[in-house]
Every structure is written in structure tokens, then in C-alpha cells.
Amino acid sequence: MKQALVDDTEDVSLDFGNEEELAFRKAKIRHPLATFFHLFFRVSAIVTYVCCDWFSRSFVGCFVTVLLLLSFDFWSVKNVTGRLMVGLRWWNQIDEDGKSHWIFEARKASPNQTAATEAEARIFWLGLIICPLIWIVFFFSTLFSLKLKWLALVIAGISLQAANLYGYILCKMGGESDISKVAASFLSQTVFQTASPGDFQKPGLEGLEIHKH
């Protein structure tokens, strides 16, 4: 009787490893430095643009400072933070015939690599979406207030940040060229649903090349 009881419970195992890993992914930020710089340059550019009249009367100095911050943000998001925080990278290249090619890469899941967390993914996409919208608001406020000397800087801000947003959306959606389908699918996955880290790791995108029409 005693032996039978041991046999019945012999194959029962309690594995808390997966639950602990899931909780860790939801709660922790594994790349704090990349997360900081993902927001630092773009937020600094916005704050400097809004407050530059208070700090300095030099239009050229403010213009150059904001433009440098936008350029640093574009480079760091495109080449560093996207790769570390969501496992995605994109770039555009021109071939010998003068044709433009969009190239997308996604990090393959590997036990030796540090996976992105849900907190990092949310910070990455929210920062990527909200800041271009703020620059669009600046564009209309510049037009309505007739401060046309700032218009070129605002357009540069929209262009640089929208380029990263567009590239990463295409990368996440697998290179879908129909922008309406991309927007609908992206919003359904990113805004209306809770994304998991696996959504940002698409091994099928590795080395994917798409022609720009």
C-alpha cells in the first residue's frame, strides 16, 4: 500500500523555472543603458526645442544642438537600441544599378543570447511612436504661429524619427510593402494587445531583402 502511494506520485514534478523566467521578462529591464539612450536623445531634442528660447537667444546654437540630438537619436535607435531591446535591425542600401533595397534582420532565439523583455519592448515602441507625433504637433504649431525659421528643423525631426518608425514597423511586420496592411497589423499587435518578447523575434526575417517601389 505504501509502495503504491510512492508510485502514484513518482512522476509528478513541479517546475517553477518557466514561471520565474516569465515573471523576470515582464518585470526586468535587461539592457538599462540601451533603454536610457533610446529615450535620452529624442526626449532631449524635444525639451531643447521647447525651452531653447529660455536658455539661449542664439537661433543657430539651438538649431545645431537639436539637430545633433536628432542625429544621435537616429543613429543609436537604428543601429543599437532596436537590436538590443527588440532584436530587430533594418537598413536601406543602393545597389550598382541605383535601385533601393530595404534589408531587415531579426535576432533568432538562442539560449546563449539575452532575450528582450516586455518592459523593454513597450518602452521601445512607445518611444518610437509618441515622439514623431510630438514633432508633427510642433510642425502645425510652427505654421500657425508663423515661426517659419524653425520649420526646417521640425521637418528634419519628423523625417529622422519617422524613418526609424517606418523601418522598424516594416521589419516587425516581415517586410510587408502595403502600408495600410502594415499599419492595421501593427496597431492590432502593439496597441490593442499585450505583446510578448517572442513577437519581436522573427527568425524568418533573417536576411530578408525587399525592393522599394
Side-chain angles (χ1 to χ4, degrees), residues 69-138:
L69 290 170
L70 289 171
S71 301
F72 291 152
D73 170 73
F74 178 81
W75 183 91
S76 62
V77 172
K78 179 176 177 293
N79 296 295
V80 180
T81 63
R83 178 173 55 84
L84 294 177
M85 296 176 68
V86 292
L88 299 174
R89 187 172 66 164
W90 69 273
W91 69 91
N92 182 273
Q93 67 180 21
I94 308 296
D95 61 14
E96 297 178 353
D97 298 328
K99 294 182 179 179
S100 177
H101 300 272
W102 288 89
I103 301 177
F104 307 99
E105 285 185 354
R107 181 177 57 220
K108 293 183 179 180
S110 172
N112 298 326
Q113 291 180 338
T114 303
T117 65
E118 290 186 11
E120 287 178 336
R122 289 193 184 98
I123 292 173
F124 179 84
W125 290 108
L126 286 175
L128 207 64
I129 294 170
I130 293 175
C131 290
L133 295 178
I134 295 176
W135 282 105
I136 292 175
V137 173
F138 289 161

Side-chain angles (χ1 to χ4, degrees), residues 130-202:
I130 293 175
C131 290
L133 295 178
I134 295 176
W135 282 105
I136 292 175
V137 173
F138 289 161
F139 175 79
F140 288 107
S141 67
T142 301
L143 284 180
F144 295 150
S145 62
L146 298 179
K147 296 181 179 179
L148 301 182
K149 65 179 182 179
W150 296 102
L151 193 59
L153 182 61
V154 173
I155 292 176
I158 295 173
S159 302
L160 290 173
Q161 299 203 351
N164 260 329
L165 176 61
Y166 179 72
Y168 276 112
I169 290 178
L170 285 183
C171 191
K172 185 177 186 297
M173 295 296 105
E176 173 64 56
S177 58
D178 189 339
I179 191 62
S180 61
K181 293 180 180 179
V182 167
S185 179
F186 178 77
L187 288 174
S188 65
Q189 292 188 23
T190 305
V191 178
F192 300 111
Q193 296 178 0
T194 301
S196 63
D199 293 335
F200 303 103
Q201 298 173 354
K202 297 182 179 294

